[in-house]
Amino acid sequence: MDDYRRRHGNKTPQGRALTYENAVSEEFAERRKWLDDQLGRLPVRQADQLARRVWKDERYWSVHFEMAVGAALRQAGLEVVYDHPWDRQTPDWTVLSAEGEPLCLVEVHTASPRQDTYQSMRAWHQLTQRIKTIPVGVLLMLEQTSRPIPAPDSRTAKRIAEEVRKALGSPFCPFRIPASFGYTFLVQSGGDGGTLPSPFGLYACFEPPSAIAGQVSAAQIVTPVRGKISKYRKLVEEHELPLVVAVGAHPFTGLGLRELDDLLTGEQVITFQFKPGDAYIGKAAVPPSRWDVPAELAGLLWIDNKFPFTMTSRPNPSAHRPMPALLANLGS
């Protein structure tokens, strides 16, 4: 924690990793203690490798989900080994019986947002921080559009903020502020016709697009799960072992157990996620039909992305090799 504060604490908020607060804030102390405990159960070399990766934005959730699976399997009374070598392959977890015999293999998949999501969030944050210095206590949002609004680069953000500052400081402050490059800001009004106060008091607040708005569907996990099946097909057939895939979703995806169950049962439910500042949330697509899980897969485990990362089992009733009973009963 001290090292992370020393190396990153003096950076601007938009210049830090998105995981900075998770690494240093007292709010996440219990989660860090849990992570220490999970890493402490691994060989030193493996633990060190994971510890170096965990605070990187693109690895934070994958490391936590992998460790959460190990924790849940142990809690269920199973013996597990992380990254055990099998014929030059290393599935994430090998589940063993009390006698040390392999019972099944568990691979972990992390459903993640598009890679440009993080870049977009940082870019909007730059503009948010600049507008936050304007000494006019109003709340601003972008005008709704029929297309996605790209986040401005740093030079554009500086110019836009100055234009907004000038408009808000004019004697007759407009409720609609056109700015360069097609950005249009709206001063938010309340039910009484007056302006909504800024949560920053005497300074302006801009509620930017969230960069995660859009339709939510568990269909995005189908191709990666099929990839896991293909990768380990020969291995599990030769050793006659069930293959299980544990799936966890980055919070930015909006995915939850309900969306997974909709996919498995074929419920035609359309779900969107968005936040107040989103000026465009996209169009609805027809939900996918029911996903018939391939018989080579013993089932799925869903990892909740809220600490302490509980797991729920969804066994495949058509599996060639069913998952062990202790796994099949998780979360039931």
Side-chain angles (χ1 to χ4, degrees), residues 20-32:
Y20 178 78
E21 291 300 324
N22 302 69
V24 304
S25 172
E26 186 62 29
E27 176 186 353
F28 299 97
E30 186 178 359
R31 184 183 298 187
R32 289 193 299 269

Side-chain angles (χ1 to χ4, degrees), residues 22-62:
N22 302 69
V24 304
S25 172
E26 186 62 29
E27 176 186 353
F28 299 97
E30 186 178 359
R31 184 183 298 187
R32 289 193 299 269
K33 184 178 182 300
W34 172 88
L35 182 62
D36 277 344
D37 181 54
Q38 303 312 313
L39 295 179
R41 296 169 182 265
L42 303 180
V44 173
R45 181 170 173 272
Q46 289 179 336
D48 285 346
Q49 289 176 341
L50 291 170
R52 284 195 294 269
R53 299 173 190 165
V54 68
W55 303 120
K56 296 179 180 179
D57 289 343
E58 67 275 14
R59 295 303 306 270
Y60 177 85
W61 284 104
S62 62

Side-chain angles (χ1 to χ4, degrees), residues 209-242:
S210 65
I212 62 172
Q215 189 167 341
V216 177
S217 171
Q220 66 170 277
I221 75 169
V222 172
T223 297
V225 170
R226 288 188 182 277
K228 301 281 190 185
I229 295 171
S230 177
K231 180 178 180 180
Y232 291 102
R233 178 179 285 113
K234 183 178 178 181
L235 176 62
V236 295
E237 287 179 353
E238 286 183 354
H239 295 275
E240 297 185 349
L241 292 172

Side-chain angles (χ1 to χ4, degrees), residues 151-167:
D153 58 31
S154 57
R155 180 178 295 182
T156 302
K158 182 178 180 180
R159 178 173 172 179
I160 290 173
E162 287 303 316
E163 293 173 351
V164 173
R165 180 187 296 271
K166 183 177 179 181

